[in-house]
Amino acid sequence: MLLPCALHSLLCALSCAWWLHAGAASRLKSPSLPIQPETEPLPFKGTSGCSFGGRFYSLEDKWHPDLGEPFGIMHCVQCHCEPQKSRRGKVSGKVNCKNIKQDCPALDCDNPVQLAGHCCKTCLQGGKKQIDSVLNTFDYFRRKSKEREEELHKSYNDRSYLSSEDVGPGESRTDFVAVLTGLKDSWLPSSSGVARVRFTLTRSSLTFSITYQRMGRPAKIVFLDSDGTPAFEYRVPKGDSDMICGVWKNVAEPLLRQLQSEQMHISMSTSTGQRDEVEGRIIKHRALFAETFSSILTSEEENSAMGGIAMLTLSDTENNLHFILILQGLIQHRDRDPILVPIRVQLLYRQHILREIRANITSHDPDFAEVLTDLNSRELFWLSRGQLEIAVAAEGQDPRQISGFITGRKSCDTIQSVMSSSDALIPGKTGGVGSAIFNLHDNGTLQYQVQVAGLTSDVVSLTIELKPRRRNKRSVLYDLTPEFSKATGQAIGSWSRLEARHIHMLLQNELFINVATAHSQEGELRGQIKALPYSGLEAPRHELPTPLAGHFVSPPVRTGASGHAWVSVDRHCHLHYEILVAGLSQTDDLTVNARLHGLAEIGELDDSTHMRLLTGFYGSKAQGVLKDISVELLKHLDQGTAFIQVSTKLNPRGEIRGRVHVPNNCEFGTRSEAEEEEEEELEDFLSKDPEELKKDPHTCFFENQHYPHGSSWMPNYDKCFSCICQKRTVICDPVICPALTCSRTIKPEGKCCPICDERKELKDVKAPERVDEHPEGCYFEGDQKMHAPGTTWHPFVPPFGYIKCAVCSCKGSTGEVHCEKVTCPMLTCNHPVRRHPTDCCKVCPQEERTTAALEHSDMMQADSPRYCKFGKNYYHNSDSWHPWVPLFGEMKCINCWCDHGVTKCQRKQCPLLTCSNITRTEGSCCPECLDDKEEDDMVMKAPDKRQTWRHH
């Protein structure tokens, strides 16, 4: 068995006292591997926590390290992810592991028992019967714990997120809201800006949608804990949208408790021009689940530091408009005792008062709820067009007013629909699919994009409908058929006559879209229009997704299921995917269990046998991020020759499938985590001014200048050297010049290495009529230098320096850089060595060199026996040893050996005992029968050697 990564982590954490942060340590890019399902949710960039043994732990988490087989869980070691702050105030995690065996209580019994799953021994009374009972109980809990652990592992491995209808008891969604206004007590001028933030908490991920008014686009969002300390910072990407969408993943358990108890705040600030900052408390609110209309209330006063929001909804059957106001800064009262303050609420249309309500609110709880009854047709029309305004004024000695226009509820969620034949009014299995996305504007206009494929006959109608009261009595609201193109299978347009009631039903997921065909006049496909909650993935939801249908499977499958998928590739060449299915029910697949509906896979059209697992379906939705993507798959995605499919046990070769086309620039494959972290850290440093660089402990100071960690440059003292900064240490290496085979060379001015004198070599050759299009040579991104035509060099890759196992060359005719791996000669000696640690290829020692080595100079070097590294020690091939684990010492019951560079460990196999009384003495690996050794045990018994019970 391979050395578990958790053991490596434990060795590092305990013997080296390394600090383990989220993310892997810097390392060279590994070769592309087949896509594997994620065993853990990936920590979000910037998330604070600890990485240990391939698992991510939130701050304050405690656990016993599991070193895997054959070591198992180290119950006498407890690890803790401790929060700590850097000099810049950034919170990160530090793993601290300690031996808790020394904390075990002293026992006064003669024969303490070592119970399974416990570190400390226990005194038991009542003899063997009670011991067996206790051991059986612990075995039961151990099995239950293992089952629970498998369930948790399955939840991480097979599903990324759940749909709302499939959320388990421990994964329920909780909605929060915050009103952000200017700070009165700040030394800066108070802001007149107002922002409204809606949050959704699912498990430990907190997504947020932000709208704002009377302030510039924010640059930074900060979550503050109960002490006002920054707990998470979100950098707002540049753009011109008035909506900000983000996610905070892996929220630590203590912060989750503060969030649930409404002790957290959120701050938002701009960075350009006049700096605006607004802040507010995150609270739960009963009105969030029913809200369909909303308004942000602002003041016309400068530096007002006041505002509010209105959450509104229509009654289900009557034209009554219910609303709740959350006000902040409108009431000026600093006394401890609350007082009643009179307010006036008005409903306006173009400054004309339509409705007015007067009431009293308390100064300490300035929220207000009321209902406007029996809105007439004009008021409902203005409401649907976003032309109604709600104004709130505080009356008395200091009259102040805030107001805002009422529009449909805004969020980062996507209004969409998947249409399937199994959801049709007359269910069927046609293998067709329909997909639609919608966008609701403030003026009540609904933009739509609809696509259908795999239908049995021509489309005769495409309609948005209500839920039918009877099967044969459909209620059509809007006909999209005129916009449908038979050639493209799409309908793209807008619906500008939505009534207020229709907007309310749309945002309450009460509308449907129906596709009728010549063979199915009532509808071949049908789907519910509903909001897909924002998840934080980089998927282009504003574009039509990839349709998934049985019609696209080879050979086609007549199924009632269908789906669609959003797929994108980011700048790190990671694949983001979000898949929704409809009509894929467990009743159709009698062989599935544990609510698993199917598996989502990705593959290549010309090779259907090699599928990569994405995730499993436990509901109607699955999503995630894949990092280890092969160059071939990225190429197929770029060319549009890849597909995503969902397979079930009834259709293991695909139930529904769709062709995926994702243009990308990933010809070199997925980037390693080390490269990503290095680039992000470098970008972070380069964005700072020189004064900030001086404060960072990892900055290098060289030749009277500060350089950020990970940067590279050419020193002033010698341009034929290249330097890199590695955490306060400057490493400078000479530029390695490649060997040239030409007869005459020249050294260009300002260059370190000579090049072939092409003019001399080609003096007898007639000069070409066309001038070289690339007279300056090639530009290489690694060292960011120009290279002369015909030159070769070892590539420089920050922060690793020169990669001597690769050679790059410049094609002067095209200006292209071509890099390839160095081919090492095959060696016949038994003990090849590297003459220099930085050399790529090994060579035979002088006394062992043979002529055979020269005969195979064009072949790749054969693998020689490699050594193994375990902890701090190195072992030769075939060496064996007992592992040494910090806090425990040498583990004599486990044997490890080196097998061609791979460390393998195995626990000593013990014989099966049939006796009733079992014991194990200290220093012995296997238990023994007490009956056969009773006399010897009595002789050997000593105060410091006690019998130990073990359940075997």
Side-chain angles (χ1 to χ4, degrees):
M1 178 166 293
L2 296 179
L3 178 65
C5 60
L7 177 57
H8 175 71
S9 297
L10 184 64
L11 291 170
C12 293
L14 298 179
S15 64
C16 304
W18 287 358
W19 288 7
L20 302 178
H21 299 280
S26 295
R27 59 184 182 272
L28 285 171
K29 181 178 177 181
S30 59
S32 299
L33 300 173
I35 293 178
Q36 299 294 331
E38 296 291 351
T39 56
E40 279 289 302
L42 297 172
F44 189 71
K45 292 295 183 184
T47 302
S48 298
C50 303
S51 178
F52 187 94
R55 296 176 68 94
F56 183 79
Y57 296 90
S58 299
L59 297 176
E60 302 292 357
D61 280 357
K62 294 181 180 180
W63 68 95
H64 298 293
D66 185 356
L67 306 188
E69 294 294 339
F71 301 93
I73 299 176
M74 312 298 286
H75 293 285
C76 288
V77 174
Q78 185 180 72
C79 296
H80 179 209
C81 182
E82 297 179 346
Q84 62 173 12
K85 285 186 180 180
S86 65
R87 295 182 180 178
R88 292 181 291 169
K90 184 177 180 181
V91 179
S92 58
K94 170 188 174 183
V95 175
N96 183 19
C97 298
K98 66 177 182 178
N99 191 342
I100 60 175
K101 192 170 185 178
Q102 58 191 8
D103 300 329
C104 293
L107 304 177
D108 56 1
C109 55
D110 292 332
N111 298 308
V113 175
Q114 181 75 50
L115 298 175
H118 279 227
C119 174
C120 301
K121 295 181 180 180
T122 305
C123 290
L124 297 177
Q125 303 297 328
K128 179 180 179 300
K129 182 177 180 181
Q130 184 169 348
I131 292 174
D132 290 341
S133 174
V134 172
L135 291 176
N136 289 336
T137 302
F138 271 97
D139 182 61
Y140 168 80
F141 279 108
R142 181 181 60 81
R143 284 188 286 108
K144 285 295 181 183
S145 175
K146 186 176 181 180
E147 292 172 5
R148 174 60 178 162
E149 202 171 90
E150 290 175 351
E151 280 296 312
L152 290 173
H153 180 70
K154 185 182 296 181
S155 69
Y156 283 119
N157 188 44
D158 292 340
R159 51 179 170 166
S160 301
Y161 291 89
L162 300 172
S163 59
S164 58
E165 61 268 25
D166 295 306
V167 172
E171 301 172 340
S172 60
R173 290 177 52 188
T174 306
D175 292 328
F176 302 83
V177 69
V179 181
L180 281 57
T181 57
L183 305 175
K184 272 291 187 184
D185 300 330
S186 173
W187 60 273
L188 292 171
S190 299
S191 172
S192 299
V194 181
R196 172 233 168 92
V197 191
R198 178 164 183 155
F199 309 87
T200 298
L201 176 66
T202 306
R203 289 168 58 182
S204 62
S205 292
L206 186 69
T207 59
F208 49 89
S209 305
I210 304 177
T211 52
Y212 55 92
Q213 291 186 13
R214 295 213 64 190
M215 64 182 299
R217 183 169 177 83
K220 183 173 65 173
I221 298 167
V222 180
F223 288 78
L224 307 170
D225 63 13
S226 56
D227 297 328
T229 303
F232 176 72
E233 182 177 306
Y234 178 79
R235 296 279 181 175
V236 180
K238 296 180 180 179
D240 53 4
S241 172
D242 60 350
M243 176 75 67
I244 299 173
C245 309
V247 61
W248 178 8
K249 292 190 176 181
N250 297 310
V251 183
E253 187 63 34
L255 296 175
L256 287 176
R257 290 193 294 267
Q258 292 185 23
L259 184 66
Q260 295 284 4
S261 58
E262 302 182 352
Q263 298 178 11
M264 295 197 69
H265 286 69
I266 181 171
S267 171
M268 191 168 72
S269 59
T270 60
S271 60
T272 57
Q274 182 179 356
R275 187 172 183 271
D276 279 342
E277 183 175 2
V278 292
E279 184 178 318
R281 186 163 65 100
I282 303 174
I283 62 173
K284 300 177 185 177
H285 210 288
R286 61 187 182 276
L288 288 170
F289 77 97
E291 177 191 20
T292 52
F293 295 89
S294 65
S295 177
I296 296 181
L297 311 178
T298 63
S299 170
E300 295 182 356
E301 300 178 16
E302 292 297 328
N303 308 321
S304 62
M306 63 178 176
I309 63 171
M311 296 182 285
L312 310 95
T313 188
L314 283 173
S315 300
D316 289 334
T317 57
E318 300 175 329
N319 294 328
N320 298 334
L321 186 63
H322 301 259
F323 67 89
I324 289 181
L325 305 175
I326 302 179
L327 310 175
Q328 194 162 300
L330 181 66
I331 309 301
Q332 296 293 320
H333 181 69
R334 298 183 179 275
D335 296 342
R336 292 186 177 180
D337 298 329
I339 62 171
L340 289 177
V341 179
I343 65 167
R344 181 182 68 249
V345 181
Q346 295 176 333
L347 190 66
L348 307 171
Y349 172 69
R350 295 184 177 178
Q351 303 301 317
H352 296 286
I353 300 175
L354 303 177
R355 306 285 183 106
E356 184 174 284
I357 298 174
R358 293 179 181 270
N360 293 324
I361 62 174
T362 61
S363 56
H364 285 194
D365 185 21
D367 293 1
F368 178 71
E370 191 53 88
V371 58
L372 299 172
T373 60
D374 297 326
L375 268 65
N376 58 41
S377 58
R378 289 184 308 166
E379 291 170 333
L380 289 171
F381 176 80
W382 292 330
L383 175 63
S384 69
R385 297 298 181 266
Q387 296 174 344
L388 285 185
E389 186 178 6
I390 187 169
V392 184
E395 300 181 316
Q397 297 180 350
D398 185 17
R400 314 176 85 198
Q401 177 173 305
I402 53 178
S403 62
F405 285 94
I406 303 172
T407 63
R409 183 191 69 218
K410 296 181 180 180
S411 75
C412 297
D413 300 344
T414 302
I415 305 175
Q416 54 80 48
S417 178
V418 179
M419 293 158 270
S420 67
S421 55
S422 66
D423 290 330
L425 294 179
I426 303 176
K429 294 186 177 182
T430 67
V433 61
S435 173
I437 56 174
F438 304 87
N439 185 23
L440 180 64
H441 294 272
D442 290 348
N443 63 0
T445 299
L446 182 68
Q447 283 188 321
Y448 56 82
Q449 299 180 65
V450 185
Q451 60 183 343
V452 296
L455 300 178
T456 58
S457 56
D458 292 342
V459 173
V460 296
S461 72
L462 179 61
T463 53
I464 295 177
E465 305 179 355
L466 300 175
K467 184 176 181 179
R469 296 182 181 180
R470 296 190 303 272
R471 174 163 292 187
N472 59 349
K473 188 67 175 178
R474 291 160 49 200
S475 301
V476 177
L477 285 182
Y478 185 70
D479 189 3
L480 286 65
T481 311
E483 305 298 331
F484 180 76
S485 169
K486 182 179 178 181
T488 62
Q490 296 183 355
I492 300 176
S494 60
W495 178 12
S496 59
R497 292 188 176 183
L498 261 76
E499 299 177 5
R501 174 68 56 190
H502 300 157
I503 295 175
H504 172 80
M505 299 180 75
L506 174 72
L507 298 178
Q508 289 284 76
N509 302 335
E510 296 176 0
L511 298 184
F512 298 82
I513 184 167
N514 195 81
V515 181
T517 61
H519 291 170
S520 302
Q521 294 287 332
E522 289 299 315
E524 182 174 326
L525 303 174
R526 190 177 180 88
Q528 183 182 6
I529 302 174
K530 54 185 178 180
L532 175 64
Y534 173 71
S535 60
L537 281 183
E538 296 180 22
R541 285 188 177 180
H542 59 280
E543 300 176 358
L544 270 173
T546 298
L548 308 176
H551 173 77
F552 299 134
V553 180
S554 180
V557 176
R558 294 182 66 86
T559 174
S562 61
H564 61 205
W566 283 277
V567 184
S568 65
V569 175
D570 63 19
R571 64 190 182 97
H572 301 303
C573 299
H574 298 164
L575 182 78
H576 298 249
Y577 63 90
E578 192 162 19
I579 309 170
L580 272 80
V581 296
L584 192 65
S585 64
Q586 194 170 4
T587 57
D588 295 333
D589 190 352
L590 301 178
T591 59
V592 299
N593 52 36
R595 294 167 56 222
L596 177 64
H597 292 177
L599 296 175
E601 302 167 295
I602 189 168
E604 303 155 9
L605 289 177
D606 58 355
D607 185 10
S608 300
T609 59
H610 293 85
M611 302 295 298
R612 281 84 161 172
L613 175 65
L614 290 180
T615 187
F617 273 95
Y618 287 78
S620 61
K621 174 184 173 184
Q623 66 183 45
V625 181
L626 287 178
K627 292 190 172 182
D628 298 323
I629 309 176
S630 66
V631 177
E632 291 76 16
L633 180 55
L634 287 166
K635 187 181 299 182
H636 281 281
L637 286 168
D638 184 57
Q639 297 171 351
T641 53
F643 67 88
I644 281 181
Q645 77 175 21
V646 177
S647 303
T648 62
K649 207 151 191 177
L650 289 180
N651 291 291
R653 295 186 178 180
E655 178 109 5
I656 54 177
R657 177 189 286 191
R659 187 167 180 169
V660 183
H661 181 205
V662 186
N664 61 80
N665 298 313
C666 298
E667 62 270 19
F668 298 113
T670 303
R671 303 174 59 187
S672 67
E673 291 184 8
E675 290 175 305
E676 295 170 28
E677 292 174 1
E678 199 67 36
E679 180 182 334
E680 290 181 1
E681 190 171 357
L682 185 57
E683 288 179 355
D684 182 48
F685 277 125
L686 293 178
S687 63
K688 297 179 181 177
D689 56 34
E691 294 301 320
E692 288 293 322
L693 279 177
K694 295 178 182 178
K695 299 177 184 177
D696 191 272
H698 293 162
T699 297
C700 298
F701 186 73
F702 186 79
E703 292 184 332
N704 214 26
Q705 187 174 350
H706 289 87
Y707 293 92
H709 166 66
S711 62
S712 62
W713 67 96
M714 300 189 79
N716 295 328
Y717 71 87
D718 193 336
K719 295 298 182 182
C720 288
F721 275 73
S722 180
C723 301
I724 59 173
C725 174
Q726 287 280 19
K727 294 184 178 180
R728 298 181 62 184
T729 301
V730 176
I731 303 173
C732 295
D733 292 317
V735 174
I736 300 175
C737 297
L740 301 178
T741 58
C742 50
S743 58
R744 297 183 66 88
T745 62
I746 59 172
K747 186 176 180 182
E749 185 177 354
K751 302 293 183 180
C752 295
C753 298
I755 62 174
C756 291
D757 187 357
E758 294 182 354
R759 294 171 298 177
K760 187 67 176 178
E761 296 289 329
L762 302 176
K763 65 179 181 179
D764 297 328
V765 180
K766 184 179 179 180
E769 296 179 2
R770 186 176 179 182
V771 180
D772 188 3
E773 294 181 358
H774 301 272
E776 297 182 4
C778 309
Y779 180 76
F780 183 60
E781 289 287 348
D783 53 17
Q784 297 183 353
K785 298 177 186 176
M786 291 297 300
H787 294 266
T791 57
T792 59
W793 68 94
H794 294 300
F796 180 85
V797 181
F800 309 111
Y802 289 97
I803 307 300
K804 295 186 180 180
C805 286
V807 172
C808 298
S809 60
C810 172
K811 296 182 179 180
S813 59
T814 62
E816 294 179 355
V817 174
H818 178 70
C819 298
E820 60 183 13
K821 184 177 179 181
V822 171
T823 301
C824 295
M826 175 178 280
L827 304 177
T828 58
C829 54
N830 295 326
H831 303 288
V833 296
R834 284 188 174 88
R835 291 180 175 176
H836 192 274
T838 60
D839 289 346
C840 178
C841 299
K842 293 182 180 180
V843 297
C844 289
Q846 197 65 33
E847 62 273 12
E848 292 190 28
R849 297 193 61 152
T850 66
T851 57
L854 301 176
E855 297 175 2
H856 300 85
S857 59
D858 59 335
M859 299 178 63
M860 180 63 71
Q861 177 175 311
D863 288 337
S864 59
R866 293 175 289 171
Y867 64 84
C868 300
K869 183 180 180 182
F870 188 90
K872 294 183 177 180
N873 300 320
Y874 293 86
Y875 299 91
H876 293 291
N877 187 47
S878 301
D879 283 355
S880 62
W881 68 93
H882 296 301
W884 186 90
V885 178
L887 305 182
F888 282 89
E890 189 177 31
M891 305 185 74
K892 296 184 178 180
C893 296
I894 294 178
N895 292 322
C896 296
W897 65 96
C898 179
D899 184 6
H900 294 86
V902 178
T903 298
K904 299 181 179 180
C905 297
Q906 188 176 34
R907 184 178 290 277
K908 183 178 179 180
Q909 299 296 321
C910 296
L912 181 64
L913 302 179
T914 58
C915 53
S916 57
N917 294 328
I918 299 173
T919 184
R920 191 186 72 181
T921 58
E922 292 189 15
S924 174
C925 294
C926 297
E928 301 173 334
C929 289
L930 182 61
D931 298 337
D932 299 337
K933 301 282 185 178
E934 191 173 38
E935 294 183 2
D936 294 338
D937 290 342
M938 294 299 294
V939 174
M940 295 296 296
K941 188 175 181 181
D944 59 338
K945 294 220 171 188
R946 299 178 178 177
Q947 298 172 354
T948 302
W949 289 95
R950 183 186 177 197
H951 181 63
H952 185 76

